[in-house]
Structure formats: structure tokens, C-alpha cells
Amino acid sequence: MTPAFSLLPFCLLGSAALAAPVLDDAVRQRAEELTRLGMHAGIVIAVIDGKDSAVFGFGSAQPGKAGKPGTDTVYQIGSITKTMTGLLLADAVAQGKATLDTPVAQLLPGYAIPAFDGRQISVLDLATHTSSLPRLPDNFAPANPANPYADYTEERQRQFLAGYRLPHAPGTAFDYSNIGYAVLGTALARQAGGSYEALLQSRIAAPLGMRSTSNQPTHGMLARLAPGHLLSGEATPAWDLNVVAPAGGVYSSARDMVAYLQAYMFKPLRPYALAIVPQRPLAPGSETKIGLAWLLEQRQGQGYAWHSGQTGGYASYAAFTTDGKRGVVVLTNTARDVDALGVSALFPGTPLPALKKPPVAMELPRAALAEYVGEYPLDKNFTLTLTLGKDGLEAAGTGVGAARVFASAKDLFFFRAIEAELAFTRDATGKIDGAVLSQGGEDVVLRRRRPE
């Protein structure tokens, strides 16, 4: 009988294969279950113990073909890319080309960068998500929701910045911003006199021997790319992130990501050390701090740095203890969160949450679906709009493409494109008066806009 996982020990620094780290049994069993149930097409978990490392593969690397994903299987790593952009900033500081207080406008001559009462956005503000820029630009209107960033160009980014008004002073509040990291990457590349890809290769990938890491994957990388999947299991292409690439466009492999994490773990000098220096808390009094993209926390009395990522067909998690003793990378070619696997692999014995199986869709007549159509504003910046398309009910958020939602019970719907649920509420007369959007462990209450 073929085993449900494969152990692929390899050593970047000459350690014997016998010293390969062991994957926690609970994590192994959960990864086997996730792939067996079809909730993930494939999963790769890399474990680093000091200078020793091992990669464990689950599921399949290619649909319909034998062979598990492994050391050199390529994935899109999503927002873990931000840590590379943050490292490029640390590198510029270490070279004396910038300081963390440098206004981004100084690096982008010709751009109109918004300010608040004279307070300019610094590169540190961008790197710590405290720039006061939104998560997505207000002129983000993808022509193809399956590849939403493909048509977002540098010119559109420039237009957004020129017309945007900051809601509060930079440096005063944490607001996760993909467009902020896009601007930071653009600025660093402009200062270096080339493209973001050229900077990534010359300052990170080439020095660390990361031959399968790129924002513009080679033919060889594409041949090893695990094809992406939606939550439903349907195949979906990798996103083309265009100018937003510094926020989430990099492809990499487990082998390269081990080399990347070990650079932080075993190179205590700049720029790696600077990238994981706590810069700001996520909120006043918060124990979680942010460095240059890396989130910094404590667990079991041990400090660690982490980041996760997700694009249309991929999800990822990378973390390491700041004492340099242990690290973990989890890569999957399904757009389903793998953070819990990563935390439990990094800290063996950490309980995994109960496995929640995907809901089953039920058919509702169009007349019943029409009852949910309407606008559900959160605030002046975000409205969830429900419309009835030819295939069923569709939901679109401000600045985000539409995605179909499926009923699992009366007044309860789920997305297949993302891990989120939408529960509708009714007033005393039985009419729908709002909805609760649940995503990432958070519930957001949306009140239905009444016709005027």
C-alpha cells in the first residue's frame, strides 16, 4: 500500500539525512485528511530544526497524475511576498540608500502622494501597514474576477494616489494594505533603477541560491507549478498581479523557502535582523507587533515571526522562532487557509481546530434568491451588493469583483471562491434587514439599505 505521505529530507548546509526533522503526528494526520477529503489538492510542509530541514508532501502535484508534491514543486506564495519587499527595504536601509523615515514621495518623483495635514507617508508606514492607504485602491475594478489584478497597471496606481484622501495621519493606525505594498515595491524598484523582479533577483534570490523564486516564473518553474484550485476543487489559473506584485505575486518552492527562512535564522546582521525588529504594535496595547511585513508574536514563551498568504488558487504560511532554532513553511495549491497547520508544525502539540467540512449546496428557485438582492453597506467605504445573475446569486464588495454564493440552508450562504459565509437576518415582519459576513474568524454585521 502506498504511504499517505512522503518524507523528502534534504540539507542546504550539509547535514546528514538521518538528522532530518520529524513532522508532528497530528499535523501529518490532518494534512493527510485534508488531501484525502479533497479539501486541498496538495500540501507541502517544510520543517527546519536549526541547520537541518525536511519536506513532507501530501496529495498530488498534478491532477490525475501519480506523484506527491515535494521539495521543488512551485507555488504562488501570495502575501508572504510582502516579507521579501520588506527585506528589500531593509536592504536599502543597510546600504544607506534610504532610512525608514524616508518619505515615499522622495523615491517616486513625478507621483502625487497623498498626505494628511502635512504628515507624509514614509516607507516605514507602508512596510508596517500604517500608511492610511486602504486595503485595495478605490479604482480597482477587475475586468476578470478570476484574475483580478491583471489589468491594474502602474498608471492606475498613479491615478489612485493622486486622487485619494487619507482618512487619518500615517503612522497612527494599522490598516492592512495591499496597495501600500504595491507602492513600496514600485518605489524601491524605481530607486534601484530597474524592475521589482530585477531587484528581487539581484538582492534576494541570487544571493540565497533561490532558483525557483520569481515574480515572473521561468518555463522550468511553470513545468513544476502545482496548478491552483478554488475551494470547490475547480482548477483556476495563478493570478497575474502586475504592479501589485510586491504585495503577493512571487512564486517559490519549499527548497527556496527553507533557504529564505534560514537567512533570517542564521544571519544576525542587517538586513535580515532589521526586517524582524518590532516597529509598531498592531493596535494600542497589542502584544502582536509588526516588523517590515513580518508579524511578531509570542507562543509558549517563545518569540516567532510569521506571515501567511493567499491568492485565487493558492495559500501559504511561513514562520520561524526568533532564536533561530525552528522554522516552518506550508504551501498548498488550493485557496484554503493553512495557518493552523503551520502553527502546529512550528509548535508541536498546539491543538488543531476541529475540521470543518465544506458545506453542501442546495438549490433555491430564482424567486427565493431574488429576496436577498440589495445593497448591504458596512460604512461609506464598503458595500456588499447582492445581484441575481444568470447562474444564481452573486455578491460583490466595493472594489472587488463579483463571486457567486451558494445556499446551504434558508438564509445561509457560502462562497466557493473564498472561505466565507453570509447569514441573512430578518426583522419582526420576516423581511430581510441585514446580513452577517463571516470570514477569517471575524463576523461583520451589514445592515440592508432600504430603497429611498
Side-chain angles (χ1 to χ4, degrees):
M1 182 176 182
T2 303
F5 69 96
S6 61
L7 175 62
L8 303 172
F10 67 96
C11 174
L12 296 177
L13 298 174
S15 302
L18 293 176
V22 176
L23 183 64
D24 181 75
D25 282 343
V27 175
R28 182 194 304 123
Q29 291 169 13
R30 176 59 59 87
E32 290 172 350
E33 187 175 16
L34 289 169
T35 52
R36 185 177 67 252
L37 293 174
M39 296 176 69
H40 286 264
I43 301 172
V44 162
I45 303 176
V47 180
I48 306 168
D49 276 338
K51 295 181 179 180
D52 301 307
S53 56
V55 174
F56 306 80
F58 305 85
S60 62
Q62 297 288 337
K65 295 183 180 179
K68 300 181 184 301
T71 308
D72 295 307
T73 305
V74 173
Y75 298 83
Q76 196 167 47
I77 64 172
S79 285
I80 293 178
T81 300
K82 291 181 174 71
T83 70
M84 297 180 180
T85 304
L87 181 58
L88 291 173
L89 171 58
D91 184 55
V93 172
Q95 294 183 77
K97 295 182 177 180
T99 69
L100 293 180
D101 295 327
T102 298
V104 69
Q106 186 175 313
L107 305 182
L108 284 174
Y111 268 69
I113 305 294
F116 187 92
D117 290 344
R119 169 68 163 85
Q120 297 189 66
I121 298 173
S122 72
V123 290
L124 178 61
D125 296 330
L126 293 172
T128 56
H129 297 289
T130 56
S131 65
S132 192
L133 293 176
R135 186 182 189 95
L136 292 171
D138 56 15
N139 63 347
F140 180 67
N144 179 11
N147 196 2
Y149 295 92
D151 58 352
Y152 197 80
T153 62
E154 184 173 349
E155 181 56 33
R156 287 194 183 184
Q157 177 179 260
R158 187 192 295 263
Q159 292 170 354
F160 158 71
L161 291 170
Y164 189 72
R165 297 187 64 181
L166 301 181
H168 52 258
T172 59
F174 178 88
D175 296 298
Y176 192 88
S177 178
N178 285 316
I179 189 63
Y181 258 86
V183 173
L184 178 59
T186 300
L188 293 170
R190 183 69 58 86
Q191 181 198 51
S195 66
Y196 177 78
E197 172 68 10
L199 191 58
L200 175 72
Q201 293 302 318
S202 65
R203 304 305 301 176
I204 298 177
L208 296 180
M210 298 168 66
R211 298 180 180 178
S212 296
T213 298
S214 175
N215 169 53
Q216 299 170 1
T218 64
H219 290 300
M221 287 176 61
L222 291 175
R224 291 180 280 114
L225 176 67
H229 294 81
L230 300 174
L231 292 177
S232 61
E234 299 170 69
T236 188
W239 284 354
D240 300 307
L241 275 85
N242 207 326
V243 73
V244 190
V250 167
Y251 296 72
S252 193
S253 66
R255 183 188 300 275
D256 281 11
M257 289 302 297
V258 167
Y260 180 62
L261 293 196
Q262 286 182 327
Y264 290 93
M265 295 165 72
F266 305 131
K267 292 188 177 180
L269 302 178
R270 288 186 166 193
Y272 298 94
L274 176 59
I276 57 172
V277 170
Q279 298 290 344
R280 289 172 179 167
L282 261 62
S286 172
E287 293 184 1
T288 301
K289 306 294 192 300
I290 185 169
L292 304 185
W294 288 105
L295 295 166
L296 305 165
E297 296 191 67
Q298 293 274 334
R299 184 179 288 267
Q300 299 177 6
Q302 174 62 58
Y304 71 106
W306 70 275
H307 210 293
S308 59
Q310 187 170 311
T311 58
Y314 300 86
S316 58
Y317 180 89
F320 57 93
T321 58
T322 49
D323 63 4
K325 292 183 177 180
R326 190 168 176 87
V328 165
V329 177
V330 185
L331 304 172
T332 181
N333 56 325
T334 299
R336 177 172 274 115
D337 187 304
V338 290
D339 291 29
L341 282 178
V343 172
S344 293
L346 186 66
F347 297 102
T350 301
L352 285 159
L355 184 62
K356 185 178 181 181
K357 295 183 180 180
V360 177
M362 61 180 288
E363 292 293 330
L364 289 180
R366 290 182 68 84
L369 292 176
E371 188 178 8
Y372 303 100
V373 170
E375 294 183 343
Y376 299 78
L378 172 63
D379 52 35
K380 64 179 183 179
N381 297 316
F382 181 85
T383 296
L384 188 70
T385 302
L386 276 294
T387 58
L388 192 55
K390 65 176 183 178
D391 296 322
L393 197 63
E394 296 180 351
T398 302
V400 182
R404 190 177 171 193
V405 291
F406 301 81
S408 58
K410 181 181 179 182
D411 295 342
L412 184 61
F413 290 75
F414 65 96
F415 293 79
R416 282 181 173 165
I418 57 173
E419 284 190 278
E421 290 185 338
L422 196 58
F424 291 90
T425 59
R426 296 176 181 269
D427 62 20
T429 67
K431 292 183 179 180
I432 293 172
D433 63 356
V436 178
L437 177 64
S438 301
Q439 184 178 13
E442 296 185 6
D443 294 337
V444 176
V445 177
L446 308 170
R447 308 312 307 176
R448 190 180 194 182
R449 178 173 288 149
R450 295 294 183 187
E452 295 181 0

